[in-house]
């Protein structure tokens, strides 16, 4: 930053490449004119391609091979996928668990974070509430297990059992983290607690950007109730934030569920009742080292999340407005 | 109806909203309050049945147990803390720098391929990072950096989420400001450091917290990319403490949880206002 003060005609020539003599080929011209822009992008792009884009391509290719890390990959066509869907009952179960988990927790979390943001936007003191609703999303699922294990403990002193028995809903303590009917719901409950933060902030900030003239105009047009206002003015104005929120939620739901499931139910969970697609992926990739098979699991996960993301993009597009 | 509290006047509707939000906020904070209280419990309160929510005789004994009693172990706990802090620090530094550098031309320059690159970044927002775990593992393996700090940092430096937020925020900078700096003879590099970066403080404060929290809580990278115990980070150490489930370690476990939870919350409290300012520009107009 020492060269900050360098100015005058001398600096112009070296710093403004477009002033240099005409280059010959198209590529040279491109670099001379826009080289600086590409130079700024280069460091990010190197890591972006090496660790994200190329790996996606490699994962797709590996999913058509048998690969155990010891011998080179051997192409075997569709057989990983055939195995996954036709032979691997646990995989089918993991898809069912993950979809059930995501399609309930995702929409509930989005709706709740929007409503929270909307209510908080109505009042004047915001900071403390914003902190209370955001803080859970800053915590580690592994660390919070210390709390949830006590809350959902299977003996009569677990907070949940204690409360329900006191209120007379149940007579006997319930094994929340072992019973296959409640394992997944408990994981979903914890996810909801943790998941509202980021989108809550996105929506809270978004609410402050809605053009206030729209509300004035709405009053003239006969919109009286705050809920009508929310439905007809606020929500449509916030489409871009909604889109960002939905994409965040999709990624979170398909990845964070695994960590909670791992910390509360273990891997594998009893009877695979809280088995997620990622649990299956982790199991095959890094415990059994069946990389080709695991890659096929990854590709299916990729198709699901990317598909939902694209759907959201279409649904919440603001291009024609 | 209007309620008066001292010199404040609030409507009954507002009062109901505040009351409801307060109850909900308190309820959602309970698990965090429990973590703090639990970490301060002496051993007899830790094993009390029914479990006591708020500690009665707070003590720092658990922290002592965690940091000093484990000192003689193969890997002292302080090593996990060091690993976590070091990895988070490097990732934050590199991640914010890479995202800011790349966001500048995407927001403020017009060059061939700009639109296409941005589309790719938006698409990458939808990647679940674990999808690329296997090929990433192969890349890291081929580079020969398995079980090193490089393996915990390098694969996590390019963060589409960070680039996206930074680019959205930089678009708010008036072009005239950049132009006038260039007329004064500033290079693009100087413009970036002297004009652009100071104006986007809220954005990079936000990225610092987002990347820090992501790295600090990440269990996937240490699980996949490290082999030896001395290279593990805090979440893995905690997971090990849980699965051992030994009675003698309960106090240390409570203290470790506290150490794991606190830094992100404190950091967020410090930059909260800036985070909200950044999120105002987070909408995707596509």
């Amino acid at each position: 930053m020492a060269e900050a003060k360098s100015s005058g005609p001398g600096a112009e020539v070296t710093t403004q490449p477009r002033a240099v003599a005409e280059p010959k080929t198209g590529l040279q011209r491109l670099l001379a004119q826009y080289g600086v822009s590409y130079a700024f992008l280069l460091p990010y792009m190197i890591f972006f391609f090496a660790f994200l884009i190329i790996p996606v391509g490699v994962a797709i290719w590996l999913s058509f091979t048998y690969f155990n890390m010891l011998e080179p990959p051997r192409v075997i066509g569709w057989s990983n996928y055939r195995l996954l869907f036709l032979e691997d009952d646990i995989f089918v179960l993991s898809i069912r668990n993950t979809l059930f988990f995501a399609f309930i927790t995702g929409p509930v979390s989005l709706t709740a974070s929007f409503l929270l943001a909307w209510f908080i936007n109505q009042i004047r003191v915001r900071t403390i509430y914003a902190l209370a609703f955001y803080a859970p999303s800053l915590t580690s699922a592994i660390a919070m297990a210390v709390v949830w294990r006590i809350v959902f403990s299977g003996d009569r002193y677990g907070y949940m059992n204690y409360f329900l028995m006191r209120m007379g809903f149940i007579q006997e303590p319930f094994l929340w983290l072992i019973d296959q009917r409640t394992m997944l719901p408990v994981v979903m409950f914890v996810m909801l607690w943790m998941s509202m933060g980021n989108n809550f902030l996105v929506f809270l900030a978004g609410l402050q950007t809605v053009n206030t003239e729209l509300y004035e105009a709405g009053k003239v047009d006969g919109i009286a109730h705050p809920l009508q206002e929310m439905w007809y003015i606020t929500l449509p104005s916030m489409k871009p934030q909604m889109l960002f929120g939905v994409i965040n939620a999709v990624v979170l739901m398909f990845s964070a569920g695994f960590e909670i499931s791992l910390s509360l139910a273990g891997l594998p969970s009893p009877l695979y009742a809280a088995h997620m697609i990622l649990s299956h992926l982790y199991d095959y990739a890094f415990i059994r080292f069946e990389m080709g098979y695991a890659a096929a699991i990854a590709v299916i996960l990729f198709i699901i999340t990317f598909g939902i993301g694209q759907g959201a993009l279409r649904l919440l597009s603001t291009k024609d407005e | 109806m209007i309620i008066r509290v001292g010199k404040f006047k609030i409507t009954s509707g507002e009062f109901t909203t505040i009351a409801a939000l307060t109850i909900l906020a308190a309820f959602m904070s309970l698990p965090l309050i429990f973590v703090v209280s639990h970490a301060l419990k002496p051993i007899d309160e830790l094993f009390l049945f029914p479990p006591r929510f708020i500690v009665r005789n707070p003590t720092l004994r658990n922290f002592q147990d965690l940091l000093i009693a484990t000192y003689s172990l193969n890997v002292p706990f302080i090593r996990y803390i060091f690993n976590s802090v070091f990895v988070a620090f490097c990732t934050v530094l590199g991640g914010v720098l890479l995202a800011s550098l790349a966001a500048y031309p995407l927001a403020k320059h017009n060059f061939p391929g700009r639109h296409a690159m941005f589309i790719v970044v938006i698409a990458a927002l939808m990647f679940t990072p674990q999808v690329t775990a296997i090929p990433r593992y192969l890349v890291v393996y081929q580079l020969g950096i398995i079980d090193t700090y490089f393996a915990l940092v390098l694969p996590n430096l390019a963060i589409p989420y960070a680039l996206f937020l930074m680019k959205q925020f930089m678009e708010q900078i008036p072009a005239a400001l950049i132009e006038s700096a260039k007329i004064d003879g500033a290079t693009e590099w100087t413009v970036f450091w002297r004009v652009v970066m100071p104006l986007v403080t809220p954005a990079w404060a936000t990225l610092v917290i987002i990347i820090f929290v992501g790295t600090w809580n990440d269990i996937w990278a240490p699980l996949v990319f490290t082999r030896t115990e001395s290279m593990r980070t805090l979440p893995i150490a905690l997971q090990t403490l849980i699965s051992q489930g030994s009675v003698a370690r309960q106090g240390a476990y409570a203290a470790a949880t506290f150490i794991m939870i606190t830094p992100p919350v404190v950091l967020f409290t410090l930059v909260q206002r800036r985070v909200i300012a950044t999120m105002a520009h987070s909408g995707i107009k596509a």
Side-chain angles (χ1 to χ4, degrees):
Chain A
M1 277 161 271
E3 69 278 347
K5 286 278 167 270
S6 70
S7 55
E12 279 262 284
V13 180
T14 51
T15 60
Q16 300 274 329
R18 36 201 114 164
V20 187
E22 282 109 90
K24 281 134 212 157
T25 68
L27 184 68
Q28 268 177 327
R29 197 162 51 235
L30 204 67
L31 279 181
Q33 204 172 350
Y34 305 107
V36 189
S37 307
Y38 293 127
F40 271 98
L41 274 163
L42 191 65
Y44 180 89
M45 287 301 166
I46 290 173
F47 286 94
F48 183 62
F49 275 86
F51 291 108
L52 263 160
I53 300 298
I54 295 171
V56 170
V58 174
I60 294 172
W61 176 70
L62 275 179
S63 74
F64 293 103
T65 66
Y66 175 81
F67 183 36
N68 57 11
M69 297 285 294
L70 299 172
E71 313 150 45
R74 191 174 75 238
V75 177
I76 52 169
W78 290 94
S79 98
N80 284 329
Y81 292 95
R82 242 197 318 273
L83 264 171
L84 271 176
F85 284 105
L86 299 180
E87 312 272 325
D88 192 344
D89 293 341
I90 297 164
F91 175 68
V92 177
L93 185 66
S94 81
I95 287 202
R96 226 174 49 202
N97 285 343
T98 309
L99 290 182
F100 178 75
F101 175 90
F103 278 106
I104 291 181
T105 325
V108 171
S109 164
L110 275 170
T111 316
S113 41
F114 176 77
L115 287 177
L116 278 182
W118 190 75
F119 276 116
I120 285 185
N121 201 41
Q122 314 286 314
I123 60 175
R124 275 161 290 186
V125 205
R126 289 173 194 159
T127 332
I128 187 75
Y129 294 105
L131 180 64
F133 295 127
Y134 190 76
S137 72
L138 298 167
T139 62
S140 133
I142 305 286
M144 289 311 290
V146 68
V147 179
W148 305 120
R149 275 163 180 260
I150 293 176
V151 172
F152 293 105
S153 163
D155 55 46
R156 51 178 46 246
Y157 296 118
Y159 287 135
M160 194 55 108
N161 280 336
Y162 187 75
F163 176 75
L164 291 177
M165 281 161 75
R166 272 304 280 276
M167 304 297 281
F169 287 113
I170 53 172
Q171 310 313 325
E172 293 286 305
F174 195 84
L175 299 168
W176 298 97
L177 294 172
I178 297 169
D179 195 290
Q180 50 165 327
R181 285 167 299 176
T182 52
M183 229 184 297
L184 197 56
V186 166
V187 173
M188 290 161 74
F189 175 86
V190 174
M191 183 78 244
L192 275 179
W193 179 77
M194 289 184 66
S195 68
M196 284 189 277
N198 240 351
N199 282 336
F200 161 76
L201 276 195
V202 169
F203 295 151
L204 185 63
L207 282 168
Q208 289 162 24
T209 65
V210 178
N211 187 351
T212 44
E213 281 169 27
L214 288 176
Y215 293 119
E216 306 289 325
K219 284 212 179 84
V220 175
D221 290 345
I223 290 182
H225 200 269
L227 285 178
Q228 277 181 322
E229 213 175 64
M230 176 173 95
W231 187 257
Y232 290 108
I233 299 173
T234 316
L235 278 173
S237 319
M238 282 180 54
K239 266 189 183 178
Q241 278 84 12
M242 290 288 161
L243 180 53
F244 187 60
V246 171
I247 291 177
N248 285 343
V250 171
V251 172
L252 188 70
M253 292 308 146
F254 283 91
S255 58
F258 163 67
E259 267 172 54
I260 304 174
S261 158
L262 175 72
S263 66
L264 290 180
L267 179 75
S269 47
L271 291 170
Y272 296 100
H275 204 60
M276 298 288 165
I277 298 181
L278 275 183
S279 321
H280 212 55
L281 170 64
Y282 183 79
D283 185 7
Y284 274 94
F286 302 109
I287 294 176
R288 305 178 201 219
F289 283 97
E290 289 196 30
M291 293 296 193
Y293 195 68
I297 300 171
V299 169
I300 288 164
L301 183 63
F302 179 74
I303 292 170
I304 295 174
T305 50
F306 205 67
I308 299 174
Q310 289 295 326
L313 210 58
R314 201 150 300 170
L315 197 70
L316 294 166
S317 168
T318 43
K319 213 168 236 166
D320 43 308
E321 282 170 21
Chain B
M1 200 177 95
I2 289 175
I3 300 166
R4 284 166 194 279
V5 184
K7 57 179 178 173
F8 296 106
K9 273 186 291 185
I10 50 171
T11 63
S12 60
E14 220 176 345
F15 182 77
T16 322
T17 311
I18 291 177
L21 284 174
T22 308
I23 293 171
L24 192 61
F27 186 71
M28 284 192 67
S29 315
L30 284 181
L32 293 174
I33 298 169
F34 183 85
V35 166
V36 177
S37 155
H38 202 59
L40 300 174
K41 284 178 187 167
I43 206 83
D44 54 320
E45 284 190 58
L46 278 175
F47 289 101
L48 210 60
F49 277 103
R52 185 177 286 163
F53 193 84
I54 296 294
V55 56
R56 199 161 294 166
N57 301 307
T59 164
L60 291 176
R61 183 63 207 275
N62 293 333
F63 292 92
Q64 218 174 8
D65 275 359
L66 180 70
L67 299 175
I68 295 163
T70 60
Y71 196 74
S72 56
L73 294 182
N74 231 350
V75 181
F77 198 80
I78 196 105
R79 173 69 191 255
Y80 299 118
I81 299 180
F82 171 80
N83 286 351
S84 269
V85 170
F86 182 70
V87 168
F89 178 80
C90 294
T91 314
V92 165
L93 203 70
V96 172
L97 187 68
L98 289 190
S100 310
L101 282 172
Y104 173 53
L106 281 178
K108 286 293 158 197
H109 290 174
N110 216 341
F111 56 90
R114 172 187 172 193
H115 188 65
M117 272 183 196
F118 192 58
I119 296 278
V120 176
V121 172
I122 295 268
L125 283 177
M126 299 171 207
F127 292 6
T128 340
Q130 292 85 353
V131 164
T132 52
I134 298 161
R136 264 181 184 204
Y137 176 79
L138 300 177
V139 172
V140 170
Y141 188 79
Q142 289 301 321
L143 291 173
I145 54 173
I146 286 281
D147 219 18
T148 66
Y149 289 116
F150 289 113
L152 294 175
V153 174
L154 296 183
N156 299 318
L157 285 182
I159 305 153
Y161 195 88
L163 174 54
F164 173 75
L165 281 182
M166 192 48 115
K167 183 243 171 202
Q168 297 296 94
F169 202 82
M170 280 185 180
E171 274 180 354
Q172 316 300 316
I173 300 174
L177 217 57
I178 295 173
E179 280 313 310
S180 68
K182 281 191 198 160
I183 289 167
D184 289 345
T187 61
E188 289 284 6
W189 185 246
T190 333
V191 170
F192 175 76
W193 285 109
R194 288 293 169 107
V195 181
V196 175
M197 282 311 266
L199 285 173
V200 297
T201 343
W204 59 258
T206 307
L207 297 198
V208 166
I209 176 95
I210 288 176
I211 300 175
F212 174 78
V213 173
T215 317
W216 184 259
N217 291 339
D218 183 27
I219 179 173
W220 194 266
L223 214 51
V224 171
F225 296 139
T226 63
R227 289 277 167 275
T228 53
E229 206 45 46
S230 58
M231 286 305 297
R232 302 292 204 185
T233 53
L234 272 176
I236 309 286
L238 258 178
Q239 176 71 19
T240 316
L241 273 176
I242 298 174
S243 51
Q244 284 168 348
S246 90
V247 175
R249 290 264 174 270
Q250 281 301 312
Y253 174 38
T257 310
F258 178 88
I259 293 176
M260 186 75 218
I261 303 271
T262 323
V265 178
V266 170
L267 197 61
F268 174 71
T269 318
L270 295 177
V271 297
Q272 185 174 11
R273 225 168 271 274
R274 293 183 162 146
V275 176
I276 295 181
T278 308
M279 291 303 188
H281 308 291
S282 65
I284 304 178
K285 294 195 175 99

